[in-house]
Amino acid sequence: MSVVQSLTRPIAGGLSWLGAGLLQGWLGVDRVLELELGAESQEPLLLLSTVEAACRLPEIRGLLIHLGGLGWGWASLKEWRDGLERVRASGVQVVVLAEGLSNGSLYLASVADRVLVPPMGEVSLTGVGGSLRFFGPALESLGLRFDVVSAGAYKSMGEAFTRRVASPENREATQALVDGLNEELLACIGESRKLSREDLDAVMVKGPMSPQEATDLGLIDGLAYDGELDGHLAGLLGIQEGDVERVKLGQISRALGWVRRLSRYSQRLPSVAVLHLAGNITMGHEPQGRQRIAPGEVIPVLRELKEDEEVRSVVLAVNSPGGSVLASDLIWKEVAELNEVKPVVACFGDVSASGGYYISAPARKIYASPGTVTGSIGVVGGKLVTGEAASRLGVFSEAVGGGPHLGMYRPDEPFTPEQRQRFKERLAHAYKGFLERVSQGRGRPVEEIEPVAQGRVWAGRDALERGLVDGLGGLTQAVNMARELAQMAGPYKRVDLAVRPPANLLRRLLPAGLVQMLGPVGRLAPMLRLPPAAELLLEAPGQALAVMPVEVELS
């Protein structure tokens, strides 16, 4: 059944049938859907949903992906691998032409029917590695220091700002995470390309290689330029090369959107609402327009979903390293109340840890990809101490009056012993509350949760073994479970919603040419600034943070 038929079959009115007929007439037959995936590709799950809908049209017999450099995490790549397998199972032939292939892009591309690379490209399977960056000595040389307190033995976020090497706990957790992701990478590529682990080990020893070497080793299928793709497509489809007709995803996407809008005027169907939440969890007071999950923006949507009679269940698609404990708790409360009225299922993306786990804890079921970075159930907080750096510039401050804890979070001086003790007690209270929220959601006593908490980060597969998630899967599995929990046996519709912060006003006002000129500076920024977690400490010193302990750069 095509997506058009699946949309229109339960609809009594004639508008959708009209739209379906026009769409099929416009497409013709034996079309190849053409798609470009690169660094600019945003919201991979929403994009995948559109691709799968288009590939269910009977007129689409092939999918051609031009694969560039991707900035996606392992969970998004896994979701796309699973989606492409579903596309192939439906009879659509998948061809990938990649500029070059490294760990992540090879992980995705390997599932295709044919993987091709231009002759001057490069193929590199090196295995998953990571790096931990430490700024302690650099900050000290500037007269700066982070005064950080943690609740949880593995909650090591402060190490990035205070040390030059990792603690044993930090190194242990990070090594386990990287090892888990590496096993997932090699197992999936080996299965798709029919290569043994010994074969893959031999490939990794060779390091970066030419496309011809990769072809000889069975890692890809051959060499090709864009102008030669029609011959490959024709061979797979069993048609003449001159009969290959390509259609861009954007064209079909607009047409499908029109058909869906027509369908709204006909029969009202029960629905599963998918709410996409991405970014740091904050109170929403910061001026930047970057991705964030803020109570003031998310809670109204959750309340609307609770009152919407058409919405029978809700899937939270969460992709967040965490953030403010207060913001997380406010959202947690609304999710818990929503779950009392209709089933909530959580689906974890690339990183759904700490506060990202906190807001998902009330869900009746939680799904994660094997490569999802999750857990990190712990709390950290502190402040940046700038007094010494300021004194070097001849700037001094003097406190006047007030109680013993007045100015506790001022940047001039580190915590006094008494202030540090009070702050540790506050964080311990927040950590206790975090554990209780998880205990309630998981239906397990705190005593069982605490050993796998302590701020420790887990890969999705390890989180499943420890009862932190209920299954390995992506959005498709989460939506199916949401339907089952809501006892939706008949036709239904899926509604995708994404909460986005207000646009960055400065970027909107800057001329396009100036934005392009600032591009090289932006590319240098990761080398010049502290990790994103530090921004949360700077924006609100002293707040309790449920945030990833370290920023691991996975290659």
Side-chain angles (χ1 to χ4, degrees):
M1 181 186 299
S2 73
V3 67
V4 175
Q5 292 167 336
S6 68
L7 283 169
T8 58
R9 190 174 74 168
I11 298 174
L15 288 174
S16 291
W17 289 107
L18 174 62
L22 291 174
L23 178 56
Q24 291 172 339
W26 166 68
L27 274 177
V29 295
D30 293 341
R31 293 295 190 260
V32 174
L33 179 65
E34 191 170 17
L35 166 68
E36 292 191 9
L37 285 181
E40 294 77 23
S41 300
Q42 300 297 319
E43 299 182 347
L45 298 190
L46 292 176
L47 181 59
L48 175 61
S49 177
T50 302
V51 170
E52 289 197 76
C55 287
R56 285 193 292 268
L57 289 166
E59 298 78 18
I60 299 299
R61 296 191 54 208
L63 171 61
L64 172 59
I65 300 175
H66 297 272
L67 186 60
L70 292 175
W72 298 349
W74 294 109
S76 295
L77 293 169
K78 172 63 173 173
E79 189 87 35
W80 265 79
R81 271 185 62 92
D82 293 344
L84 292 182
E85 286 184 338
R86 291 191 293 270
V87 166
R88 292 181 62 215
S90 70
V92 174
Q93 301 292 315
V94 178
V95 175
V96 171
L97 177 65
E99 301 170 353
L101 291 168
S102 57
N103 288 329
S105 53
L106 184 57
Y107 176 72
L108 173 60
S110 61
V111 76
D113 293 284
R114 193 160 296 179
V115 183
L116 306 167
V117 177
M120 292 296 107
E122 182 178 276
V123 179
S124 178
L125 177 64
T126 57
V128 178
S131 64
L132 302 175
R133 190 173 297 173
F134 298 92
F135 297 86
L139 294 175
E140 289 176 7
S141 69
L142 299 173
L144 299 171
R145 60 173 287 196
F146 272 97
D147 200 348
V148 181
V149 178
S150 301
Y154 292 89
K155 201 68 176 178
S156 49
M157 187 193 81
E159 290 187 8
F161 318 129
T162 59
R163 298 173 62 98
R164 64 177 66 234
V165 296
S167 67
E169 294 84 359
N170 187 357
R171 190 176 295 108
E172 173 195 348
T174 303
Q175 186 65 57
L177 175 64
V178 169
D179 289 346
L181 295 177
N182 192 59
E183 288 300 316
E184 168 72 9
L185 170 73
L186 297 180
C188 288
I189 292 178
E191 179 182 0
S192 296
R193 303 304 302 175
K194 303 296 187 294
L195 296 172
S196 68
R197 182 58 182 266
E198 290 73 21
D199 293 332
L200 293 173
D201 288 340
V203 168
M204 288 192 289
V205 168
K206 290 181 177 295
M209 63 190 72
S210 71
Q212 186 59 60
E213 290 178 291
T215 302
D216 296 339
L217 291 168
L219 208 53
I220 66 173
D221 296 296
L223 287 60
Y225 292 103
D226 180 48
E228 301 168 343
L229 290 176
D230 285 354
H232 291 275
L233 291 165
L236 287 171
L237 300 178
I239 61 177
Q240 296 296 317
E241 183 172 343
D243 293 335
V244 174
E245 295 285 347
R246 304 187 198 179
V247 58
K248 298 287 187 181
L249 176 65
Q251 297 172 286
I252 292 186
S253 177
R254 287 189 291 272
L256 286 174
W258 183 61
V259 172
R260 290 192 183 97
R261 285 191 289 273
L262 287 176
S263 71
R264 294 174 188 166
Y265 294 99
S266 300
Q267 183 178 350
R268 296 165 67 88
L269 293 174
S271 62
V272 175
V274 180
L275 181 59
H276 296 263
L277 301 175
N280 288 334
I281 301 175
T282 79
M283 290 303 295
H285 303 318
E286 72 281 354
Q288 294 90 343
R290 62 180 181 270
Q291 277 190 320
R292 69 185 182 196
I293 304 172
E297 296 159 5
V298 174
I299 288 176
V301 178
L302 293 171
R303 291 176 177 172
E304 288 178 14
L305 293 174
K306 183 169 64 176
E307 299 299 326
D308 192 330
E309 294 182 357
E310 285 188 34
V311 175
R312 303 293 175 80
S313 57
V314 177
V315 173
L316 294 182
V318 180
N319 198 8
S320 171
S324 162
V325 169
L326 173 59
S328 299
D329 196 63
L330 294 175
I331 296 172
W332 166 87
K333 177 63 173 174
E334 295 296 328
V335 173
E337 292 184 357
L338 171 62
N339 190 55
E340 292 177 0
V341 177
K342 52 191 68 173
V344 175
V345 176
C347 174
F348 288 168
D350 299 324
V351 178
S352 298
S354 210
Y357 192 95
Y358 197 128
I359 65 175
S360 308
R364 300 189 195 183
K365 298 289 182 181
I366 299 177
Y367 285 88
S369 165
T372 293
V373 178
T374 187
S376 189
I377 301 169
V379 179
V380 67
K383 62 179 180 178
L384 176 65
V385 180
T386 60
E388 182 180 344
S391 67
R392 294 180 185 180
L393 298 174
V395 178
F396 298 88
S397 63
E398 182 176 343
V400 179
H405 300 309
L406 177 69
M408 177 173 171
Y409 299 123
R410 281 204 308 249
D412 307 308
E413 296 179 349
F415 294 123
T416 66
E418 294 80 11
Q419 290 171 346
R420 176 176 291 275
Q421 181 59 34
R422 290 293 299 154
F423 192 52
K424 287 179 66 176
E425 291 172 0
R426 181 185 166 208
L427 293 188
H429 172 73
Y431 180 44
K432 179 174 180 289
F434 195 169
L435 288 172
E436 289 172 349
R437 306 295 190 262
V438 176
S439 170
Q440 179 181 338
R442 295 280 81 200
R444 298 166 57 191
V446 169
E447 293 74 21
E448 290 185 12
I449 298 296
E450 214 278 334
V452 298
Q454 301 184 42
R456 172 116 185 209
V457 176
W458 305 98
R461 193 179 299 279
D462 297 324
L464 175 64
E465 294 177 359
R466 288 157 180 82
L468 294 178
V469 303
D470 298 292
L472 297 180
L475 202 51
T476 298
Q477 290 77 11
V479 169
N480 289 340
M481 176 55 68
R483 287 187 64 200
E484 180 180 330
L485 292 173
Q487 300 180 346
M488 296 168 59
Y492 79 104
K493 62 181 178 181
R494 173 178 142 185
V495 180
D496 280 278
L497 306 168
V499 178
R500 297 182 177 88
N504 187 317
L505 181 61
L506 178 61
R507 178 167 287 274
R508 290 172 57 186
L509 294 177
L510 285 175
L514 183 55
V515 172
Q516 292 177 356
M517 290 173 61
L518 293 174
V521 178
R523 285 190 289 273
L524 286 174
M527 300 174 59
L528 303 176
R529 65 175 177 81
L530 295 172
E535 298 175 10
L536 295 170
L537 287 174
L538 293 172
E539 288 166 1
Q543 69 174 325
L545 299 174
V547 68
M548 279 278 291
V550 292
E551 183 181 27
V552 182
E553 299 175 356
L554 296 174
S555 55

